[in-house]
């Protein structure tokens, strides 16, 4: 039996006492945890020590590279076009990947979007797309590369071979209260993205009520950390800091978010979804060598829609099929004339989850037709009796708990109440 190079307890002591771990120690720790020599209870102690004491830039870089080295790396050198990718830290109503990937691909750029499923109040991109009849998330490597070459955009499930250490660590963080540790979030996201092999990456880092990190300062720290990690690994990386205090767009759910995405691709859709889609597309195309691309034109002239249809069809979906509609609806109306001054993202995300749009456990199914349609956004003038939002579910007994989560989450103030709409994009970090 081989003698181990280090002892997990010594490394835990170092981090517990606010010391820094060396490159070899981190490499050993990640490898030993991946192969099961370091147990979950020891790694749980380490993640809590990191959560409480942080990590230096070199440590975060070493952790990221060790997680990449735990599995395989993808290589896009065989493609005839440049690659560019986007990652969002997730939020309520965040369906941007759906219109964004085909929009960017319509400029002759390859967009490999390896996406996930939702857990808790943030929806998963794959769950949304699976509301399209016939569409499938799982592709072989051959199908994946062929679609990138032919269509340009692929949104599919990530294979188990990329950064397996991250998969183990992610599950552990979820049950040990260490999800919000910036070194662990940054290394988790960037190990997967760098292993995916893209040449350029644009990050959408959210702050506010419906975001992973509520505090703008912590979101900025995360964005800066991830941009530095990308650059250290030779990936051109830019981040936008975006506001997630209010749900994005007018839909929260799965099928209804697909409908809204198709509206954007048809040249319409809510202003905030269009604004963020266009801003991210510009950043992705600039990194891919097209700084002057006319993104709005591709939405208006149908190029982006053509790419969407080709992408959905290539993965077995029918872009013309009717999307599922919930059996039951409950409409909430304004109780007086005035201005909608509050629409807090997190409670609306929780309400959609309680309606069946999300899952409490990984193995739970989602109800594709369940969700919320918003009829007004903060700053809008409303009249008494006007619908504010509609809840949709297959079982009417779900409405009560969804409404409970929305108590105090929205407010109509007196007519003439001053209200300032916050900018959607707060900053750009390169």
């Amino acid at each position: 039996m081989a003698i181990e190079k280090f002892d997990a307890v010594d490394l835990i002591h170092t981090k517990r006492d606010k010391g820094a771990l060396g490159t070899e120690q981190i490499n050993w720790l990640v490898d030993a945890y991946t192969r099961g020599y370091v147990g979950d209870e020891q790694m749980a102690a380490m993640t809590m020590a990191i959560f409480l004491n942080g990590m230096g830039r070199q440590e975060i870089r070493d952790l990221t590279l060790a997680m990449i080295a735990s599995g395989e790396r993808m290589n896009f050198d065989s493609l005839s076009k440049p690659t560019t990718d986007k990652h969002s830290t997730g939020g309520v109503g965040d369906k941007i990947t759906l219109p964004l990937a085909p929009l960017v691909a319509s400029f002759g750029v390859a967009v490999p979007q390896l996406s996930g499923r939702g857990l808790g109040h943030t929806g998963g991109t794959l769950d949304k797309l699976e509301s399209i009849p016939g569409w499938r998330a799982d592709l072989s490597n051959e199908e994946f590369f062929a679609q990138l070459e032919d269509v340009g955009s692929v949104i599919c499930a990530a294979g188990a071979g990329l950064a397996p250490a991250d998969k183990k660590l992610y599950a552990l963080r979820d049950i040990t209260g260490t999800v919000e540790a910036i070194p662990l979030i940054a290394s988790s996201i960037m190990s997967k993205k760098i292993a995916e092999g893209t040449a350029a990456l644009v990050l959408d880092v959210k702050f506010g009520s419906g975001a992973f990190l509520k505090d703008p300062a912590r979101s900025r720290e995360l964005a800066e950390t991830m941009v530095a990690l990308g650059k250290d690994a030779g990936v051109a990386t830019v981040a936008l800091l975006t506001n997630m205090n209010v749900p994005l767009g007018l839909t929260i759910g799965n099928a209804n978010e697909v409908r809204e995405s198709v509206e954007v691709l048809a040249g319409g859709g809510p202003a905030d979804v269009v604004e963020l889609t266009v801003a991210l597309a510009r950043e992705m195309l600039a990194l891919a060598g097209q700084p002057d691309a006319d993104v709005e034109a591709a939405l208006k002239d149908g190029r982006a829609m053509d790419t969407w249809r080709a992408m959905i069809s290539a993965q077995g979906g029918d872009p013309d099929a009717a999307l599922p509609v919930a059996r039951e609806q409950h409409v909430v109306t304004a109780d007086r004339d005035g201005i909608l001054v509050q629409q807090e993202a997190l409670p609306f995300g929780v309400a959609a989850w309680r309606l069946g749009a999300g899952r409490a456990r990984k193995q739970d199914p989602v109800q594709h037709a369940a969700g919320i349609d918003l009829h007004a956004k903060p700053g809008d003038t409303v009249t008494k009796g006007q619908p504010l939002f509609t809840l949709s579910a297959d079982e009417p007994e779900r409405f009560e708990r969804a409404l409970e989560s929305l108590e105090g989450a929205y407010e109509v103030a007196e007519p003439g109440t001053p209200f300032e709409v916050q900018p959607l994009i707060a900053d750009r970090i390169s």
Side-chain angles (χ1 to χ4, degrees), residues 139-418:
L139 300 179
S140 70
N141 266 356
E142 292 73 22
E143 289 172 319
F144 177 75
F145 278 93
Q147 189 174 324
L148 272 183
E149 189 61 62
D150 298 345
V151 178
S153 57
V154 178
I155 303 173
C156 67
L162 294 174
D166 173 63
K167 201 170 186 180
K168 277 189 85 170
L169 200 51
Y170 189 88
L172 188 69
R173 284 164 52 212
D174 213 23
I175 56 169
T176 55
T178 55
V179 165
E180 297 86 356
I182 284 175
L184 300 178
I185 303 172
S187 57
S188 171
I189 291 171
M190 295 304 288
S191 65
K192 288 191 294 255
K193 285 292 164 190
I194 295 164
E196 278 172 26
T198 186
L201 176 63
V202 177
L203 300 162
D204 178 4
V205 182
K206 301 191 174 296
F207 62 87
S209 161
F212 199 31
L213 295 174
K214 316 287 182 232
D215 175 21
R218 280 180 56 75
S219 294
R220 177 181 295 278
E221 184 190 338
L222 175 62
E224 289 171 349
T225 303
M226 293 197 293
V227 167
L229 284 171
K231 296 208 161 150
D232 284 350
V235 178
T237 309
V238 169
L240 297 184
L241 270 185
T242 68
N243 190 322
M244 193 21 89
N245 281 307
V246 173
L248 195 51
L250 296 170
T251 57
I252 309 159
N254 293 297
N256 58 350
E257 290 196 34
V258 173
R259 279 189 198 99
E260 185 166 279
S261 301
V262 172
E263 285 170 20
V264 172
L265 288 160
D272 57 347
V273 178
V274 175
E275 179 189 347
L276 189 50
T277 302
V278 165
L280 290 165
R282 283 205 185 109
E283 296 288 353
M284 289 170 76
L285 287 162
L287 292 181
Q290 298 187 44
D292 303 319
D294 190 344
V295 174
E296 285 99 332
L299 288 175
K300 295 224 162 24
D301 66 20
R303 271 179 291 162
M305 179 68 91
D306 289 345
T307 307
W308 161 264
R309 293 176 63 83
M311 177 181 81
I312 297 303
S313 300
Q315 288 174 245
D318 178 357
D320 297 313
L323 293 165
V325 177
R327 286 194 286 271
E328 305 286 340
Q329 293 195 323
H330 178 91
V331 181
V332 174
T333 58
D335 58 1
R336 62 172 174 178
D337 294 355
I339 292 170
L340 185 65
V341 293
Q342 187 190 3
Q343 190 178 71
E344 199 186 333
L346 178 59
F348 276 88
V350 172
W353 174 62
R354 288 181 173 180
L355 291 168
R359 49 172 72 80
R361 300 172 307 160
K362 281 194 176 121
Q363 61 269 38
D364 292 347
V366 300
Q367 295 185 10
H368 290 114
I372 302 174
D373 288 277
L374 306 171
H375 308 301
K377 296 278 276 191
D380 289 353
T381 300
V382 297
T383 53
K384 186 177 179 179
Q386 177 184 330
L388 292 179
F389 53 89
T390 300
L391 309 182
S392 301
D394 283 337
E395 302 101 357
E397 56 271 20
R398 287 180 176 267
F399 291 138
E400 189 180 348
R401 284 197 70 228
L403 289 166
E404 275 173 20
S405 64
L406 290 170
E407 282 171 21
Y410 59 96
E411 183 192 349
V412 176
E414 292 286 339
T417 302

